[in-house]
Amino acid sequence: MDTHPIDMTRSATNASAAAAVSVRGVSKNYGQVEALRDLSLDFPRGQLTSLLGPSGCGKTTLLKIIAGLLQPTEGEVEVNGKPVTGPGPDRAFVFQDFALLPWATVLRNVAFGLELRGVRISEREAIAEQYIRNVGLAGFEKSYPHELSGGMRQRVGLARALAVDSEVLLMDEPFSAVDEQTRRKFQEDLLGLVAGENKTFLFVTHSIEEAVYVSDQIAILLPRPSRVSEVIRPSGLRTRNVSDIRRDPEYLDIVDRIWASLRSYVE
């Protein structure tokens, strides 16, 4: 199990509740398959929104449309008021399968996004080293992905996304490939990142408990063709110590409420 804490040395600033990302009337068809239908949702600036719903309901499709990796059949997405027409430096993606360069060291992997942007080598390596320290991987700069555990590789992917300093981080089930102990530690670290980085996080998960634990806002999606069924804001939990959230009656009530809403869609 990875026990390195993420270093939260950067102070939080008060985040505006205004939407950083707006999805308006988005539909997506794959041939005759209608994945999304007229879906609208706002993602508040500086907060974490989880997309939660049954398998195949279009969570990853929506995330890829916001990232600019897919084009919607209808509707539009705006980031900070500007239409999304493709990938951009204002968004960074943390993939479920890490998506690391197997031939590159940890340092090169973390600096890779900056390298693509033409940042000179001394500057990009200094930035990469900072985020490697922040995610608890100091001393592993010269290691290769195959030499790291799954949890450590996921930390490399997270450091790479943070290093490019994008305003919006899109995370597609980033903790699903690690063990339960590491996953819980990552969830705690993620709460610290949301508070300290003042970025907007879009988080796809299949876990009701995880969504309630880490989220400022939870969007429940209906089965295909997907629309937003309900938006839940567990605001009372954000004032709790991270170690107390799972014992809080509000946490337990919201988990039960979401399960009651989704259980009829589980085959």
Side-chain angles (χ1 to χ4, degrees):
M1 176 177 122
D2 299 289
T3 58
H4 302 291
I6 287 182
D7 177 19
M8 290 311 307
T9 57
R10 295 172 60 178
S11 61
T13 57
N14 291 328
S16 167
V21 179
S22 293
V23 176
R24 292 286 174 266
V26 163
S27 298
K28 179 63 179 178
N29 299 335
Y30 296 98
Q32 299 300 312
V33 177
E34 191 177 12
L36 306 175
R37 178 189 293 171
D38 195 25
L39 190 151
S40 296
L41 183 64
D42 285 335
F43 297 82
R45 189 180 315 280
Q47 296 184 14
L48 187 149
T49 299
S50 286
L51 300 176
L52 183 66
S55 295
C57 74
K59 299 183 293 294
T60 297
T61 294
L62 178 58
L63 206 69
K64 288 181 176 179
I65 289 172
I66 294 169
L69 301 174
L70 289 175
Q71 293 297 315
T73 305
E74 295 180 0
E76 64 178 6
V77 176
E78 291 185 349
V79 175
N80 295 322
K82 298 179 180 179
V84 170
T85 57
D90 50 0
R91 285 151 287 146
F93 213 113
V94 181
F95 293 92
Q96 178 180 354
D97 60 357
F98 318 129
L100 302 182
L101 305 171
W103 45 264
T105 64
V106 167
L107 181 63
R108 179 78 183 277
N109 266 289
V110 175
F112 186 66
L114 297 169
E115 182 179 345
L116 293 178
R117 295 185 183 184
V119 178
R120 66 181 187 272
I121 187 168
S122 59
E123 182 180 352
R124 70 178 183 249
E125 287 190 350
I127 294 171
E129 287 171 353
Q130 171 195 336
Y131 282 101
I132 289 169
R133 290 193 301 271
N134 284 359
V135 300
L137 289 179
F140 290 91
E141 292 84 354
K142 296 181 180 180
S143 299
Y144 290 87
H146 73 271
E147 299 174 317
L148 306 176
S149 69
M152 294 169 76
R153 291 196 297 273
Q154 191 58 274
R155 288 178 183 273
V156 176
L158 181 56
R160 181 176 57 190
L162 292 168
V164 295
D165 200 27
S166 298
E167 297 175 55
V168 178
L169 269 73
L170 305 110
M171 309 179 76
D172 186 13
E173 295 194 75
F175 308 151
S176 63
V178 299
D179 61 74
E180 180 63 22
Q181 295 95 324
T182 302
R183 184 169 186 156
R184 286 202 171 204
K185 184 62 175 66
F186 275 164
Q187 291 167 0
E188 293 180 3
D189 291 343
L190 182 59
L191 288 174
L193 285 172
V194 175
E197 289 287 334
N198 194 30
K199 299 181 184 300
T200 304
F201 292 77
L202 282 57
F203 188 85
V204 167
T205 180
H206 278 97
S207 169
I208 297 172
E209 290 81 2
E210 181 170 73
V212 178
Y213 184 76
V214 303
S215 301
D216 298 289
Q217 173 177 274
I218 304 165
I220 300 177
L221 304 186
L222 294 171
R224 191 173 62 235
S226 188
R227 292 89 65 211
V228 176
S229 169
E230 185 178 6
V231 175
I232 296 173
R233 296 179 178 85
S235 55
L237 298 179
R238 303 281 68 83
T239 64
R240 309 291 192 268
N241 186 290
V242 294
S243 62
D244 296 331
I245 292 175
R246 288 188 175 91
R247 295 191 296 271
D248 193 287
E250 182 183 358
Y251 168 84
L252 299 172
D253 288 346
I254 295 174
V255 168
D256 286 346
R257 172 182 166 190
I258 293 175
W259 170 236
S261 176
L262 291 175
R263 67 183 306 165
S264 62
Y265 303 119
V266 178
E267 295 180 358

